[in-house]
């Protein structure tokens, strides 16, 4: 999944021959699941038609302050467009438009949008090699850099004039990669490794039976997905769960028993910056699982259980720089019990869910949680779906980094 998913990209197209490539650029942005709107300078329409770009972007294309062909002309609100965008991308950006941007000239809709946009502005210059090298163009680039605008460098190659040199607009794929990298670099968990446990564990009684619980794994999977969306490199150690998660930044390690989960955590913990232990680990396991299927010979059957190792407790013990988060599922004396667990397991944060709250707990799609941190601060939340709870947890962690 691309970091562009759900992002609002306002593409400004100016009058350079490379404008024909914006059809492909819009297609790539839409494929990456970005929301795309296009603003063109009036002369850009000579190079690529608004119909092409509106069809590909699935949105109306704007090029003037009012819709000239419509008698009931509507005002194309440049402020609203500028504020709508998460990113303003101007490609191709001609020498003319760039010089106007650098000097606050505002004689078309795109320039008005540029002046009113509050979001990051990226631009892909496109011009002939001598124009590109001209001191005036250089001065323009420097001025735009001082405004915080970001240049997507022009490539080297054959230009529309037939000359060979630097000045051709970066290819649509390069623009897309540049934009994705720019967004990814700005994500709050970029460079952080997050270790997450999720799901139940199954403890074998014999080759076909086990001691387990009803955990779906959903809470841990949602935390993993959100952490990855925020730029973290995630290792998700999952007990048996039917859930899937496809994300370039998530590595899933599938385990069955508490012992396997412990070993997987031990292999990944030292390099983690953040640990979130959401698994519902079996507290006990059969002492001696039968090698063969147990036959129903007697009227009763006794299975002796022994304690599994507390994985989170181990992690708390080994903690160095990690920010460590655990869960507590309680039915009585909730706050007091959760605080005890926080201290005993050396956590930074414990997330309490009470089985007394309707819609909370490990079988449900929603959760109602209370955060308790190591300073004793108590933060109760409303009932929310688990994706929203995951967002709250990660926002809290990010604020502590
Ligand atoms: N946990 C763990 N390994 C275990 C048991 C629990 O990592 N063997 C983690 C869980 O993932 C969770 C937290 O510890 O983050 C829960 O703590 P626990 O003491 O097991 O609380 P409860 O499950 O609520 O159990 P109890 O109240 O019965 O002690």
């Amino acid at each position: 999944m691309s970091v562009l998913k759900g992002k609002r990209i306002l593409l400004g197209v100016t009058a350079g021959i490379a404008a024909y490539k914006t059809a492909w650029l819009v297609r790539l942005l839409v494929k990456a699941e970005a929301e795309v709107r296009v603003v063109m300078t009036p002369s850009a329409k000579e190079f690529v038609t608004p119909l092409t770009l509106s069809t590909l972007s699935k949105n109306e294309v704007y090029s003037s302050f009012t819709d000239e062909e419509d008698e009931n002309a509507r005002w194309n609100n440049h402020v609203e467009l500028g504020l709508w965008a998460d990113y303003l991308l101007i490609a191709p950006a001609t020498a003319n438009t760039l010089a106007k941007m650098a000097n606050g000239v505002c004689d078309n809709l795109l320039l008005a949008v540029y002046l009113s946009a509050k979001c990051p502005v990226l631009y892909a210059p496109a011009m002939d090699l001598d124009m590109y090298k001209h001191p005036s163009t250089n001065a323009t680039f420097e001025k735009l850099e001082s405004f915080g605008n970001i240049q997507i460098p022009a490539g080297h190659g054959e230009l529309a004039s037939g000359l060979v040199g630097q000045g051709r607009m970066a290819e649509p794929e390069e623009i897309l990669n540049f934009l994705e990298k720019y967004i990814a670099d700005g994500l709050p968990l970029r460079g952080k490794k997050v270790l997450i446990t999720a799901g139940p564990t199954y403890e074998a009684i014999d080759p076909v039976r086990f001691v387990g619980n009803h955990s779906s794994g959903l809470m841990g999977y949602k935390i993993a997905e959100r952490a990855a969306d925020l730029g973290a490199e995630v290792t998700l150690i999952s007990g048996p769960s039917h859930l899937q998660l496809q994300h370039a930044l998530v590595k899933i390690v599938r385990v069955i028993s508490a012992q396997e989960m412990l070993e997987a955590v031990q292999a990944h913990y030292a390099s983690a910056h953040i640990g979130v232990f959401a698994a519902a680990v079996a507290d006990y396991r059969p002492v001696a699982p039968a090698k063969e299927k147990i036959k129903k010979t007697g009227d009763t059957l006794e299975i002796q259980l022994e304690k599994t190792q507390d994985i989170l407790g181990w992690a708390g013990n080994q903690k160095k720089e990690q920010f460590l988060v655990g869960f507590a599922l309680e039915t009585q004396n909730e706050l007091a019990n959760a605080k005890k667990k926080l201290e005993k397991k050396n956590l930074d944060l414990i997330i309490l869910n009470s089985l007394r709250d309707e819609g909370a707990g490990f079988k449900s799609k929603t959760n109602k949680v209370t955060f308790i941190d190591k300073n004793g601060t108590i933060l109760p939340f409303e009932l929310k779906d688990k994706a929203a709870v995951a967002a709250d947890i990660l926002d809290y962690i990010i604020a502590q980094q």
Side-chain angles (χ1 to χ4, degrees):
M1 194 194 64
S2 166
V3 287
L4 279 161
K5 184 179 179 185
K7 294 283 183 301
R8 295 162 162 189
I9 309 296
L10 188 56
L11 176 65
V13 180
T14 74
I17 179 64
Y20 83 91
K21 293 185 179 173
T22 57
W24 184 235
L25 178 59
V26 170
R27 181 73 198 107
L28 291 176
L29 290 166
V30 169
K31 232 173 127 187
E33 297 182 71
E35 238 185 283
V36 184
R37 289 200 197 174
V38 181
V39 178
M40 305 175 79
T41 60
S43 340
K45 293 193 283 185
E46 311 271 333
F47 293 91
V48 60
T49 73
L51 181 62
T52 305
L53 298 183
S54 73
T55 308
L56 291 168
S57 67
K58 305 183 176 76
N59 271 315
E60 197 179 333
V61 168
Y62 312 90
S63 67
S64 66
F65 288 97
T66 55
D67 190 346
E68 309 110 274
E69 285 166 29
D70 185 352
E71 292 168 2
N72 307 310
R74 234 172 15 92
W75 168 251
N76 288 324
N77 189 334
H78 55 89
V79 177
E80 182 267 321
L81 274 170
L83 295 181
W84 171 85
D86 293 325
Y87 300 92
L88 172 58
L89 169 65
I90 303 177
T94 57
N96 183 39
T97 291
L98 291 173
K100 287 178 180 178
M101 283 161 57
N103 290 289
V105 177
C106 183
D107 62 0
N108 64 40
L109 180 68
L110 175 58
L111 290 161
V113 167
Y114 167 73
L115 288 174
S116 40
K118 290 211 172 92
C119 61
V121 176
L122 296 95
Y123 67 91
M127 59 195 79
D128 213 49
L129 77 164
D130 293 316
M131 294 167 77
Y132 194 78
K133 280 195 292 206
H134 197 279
S136 165
T137 307
N138 247 316
T140 294
F141 289 159
E142 276 168 23
K143 204 150 180 202
L144 292 176
E145 194 183 341
S146 77
F147 298 162
N149 299 167
I150 297 121
Q151 186 182 146
I152 304 175
H156 191 278
E158 191 180 333
L159 300 160
S161 60
L163 299 170
V164 175
Q166 193 169 15
R168 57 188 282 167
M169 185 181 81
E171 293 300 328
E173 284 83 358
E174 290 166 343
I175 294 176
L176 188 90
N177 291 342
F178 190 102
L179 185 58
E180 284 183 328
K181 185 169 180 322
Y182 174 78
I183 296 172
D185 285 348
L187 291 173
L189 289 178
R190 183 81 175 160
K192 299 278 185 203
K193 288 191 174 165
V194 180
L195 178 63
I196 296 167
T197 69
T201 64
Y202 289 174
E203 311 302 326
I205 296 171
D206 68 14
V208 292
R209 303 179 182 97
F210 58 84
V211 178
N213 60 63
H214 289 299
S215 165
S216 65
L218 187 61
M219 192 65 249
Y221 275 67
K222 289 293 174 199
I223 296 168
E225 188 173 20
R226 180 73 185 176
D229 284 350
L230 293 168
E233 211 181 296
V234 177
T235 303
L236 172 62
I237 298 174
S238 171
S241 165
H242 67 278
L243 296 174
Q244 302 286 335
L245 177 52
Q246 296 273 348
H247 197 300
L249 289 172
V250 180
K251 183 176 102 182
I252 303 190
V253 179
R254 295 203 181 263
V255 297
I256 306 222
S257 65
Q259 182 58 30
E260 286 174 15
M261 188 173 275
L262 172 70
E263 285 164 19
V265 165
Q266 287 174 333
H268 292 91
Y269 187 61
S271 61
H273 301 98
I274 295 162
V276 184
F277 286 56
V281 184
D283 289 327
Y284 291 90
R285 66 172 164 234
V287 173
K291 295 252 172 332
E292 306 297 334
K293 187 177 166 223
I294 299 172
K295 288 293 197 189
K296 51 175 182 303
T297 43
D299 287 340
T300 59
L301 173 68
E302 273 183 31
I303 300 167
Q304 205 187 358
L305 302 176
E306 64 182 359
K307 250 196 184 150
T308 56
Q309 190 171 338
D310 184 344
I311 305 170
L312 179 58
W314 175 87
N317 237 318
Q318 303 291 315
K319 192 164 87 168
K320 293 205 169 70
E321 299 296 314
Q322 289 92 345
F323 189 91
L324 196 55
V325 182
F327 279 74
L329 182 63
E330 304 291 340
T331 53
Q332 53 185 348
N333 295 331
E334 290 96 333
L335 280 176
N337 282 338
K339 272 187 193 165
K340 254 190 242 159
K341 273 178 199 166
L342 173 107
E343 277 162 29
K344 192 169 144 226
K345 302 192 187 201
N346 191 22
L347 308 181
D348 297 285
L349 176 71
I350 192 149
I351 295 154
L352 164 68
N353 34 133
S354 167
L355 271 189
R356 283 204 265 185
D357 289 320
E358 213 169 300
F362 59 26
K363 262 174 97 176
S364 140
K365 286 207 159 69
T366 53
N367 211 351
K368 182 167 176 358
V369 299
T370 302
F371 291 2
I372 304 157
D373 72 13
K374 61 174 179 221
N375 306 316
T377 310
I378 296 169
L379 214 64
F381 288 84
E382 298 297 303
L383 182 75
K384 299 180 178 192
D385 72 47
K386 286 184 172 170
V389 176
D392 289 339
I393 294 170
L394 287 154
D395 285 352
Y396 182 92
I397 295 172
I398 289 164
Q400 306 304 312
Q401 298 297 296

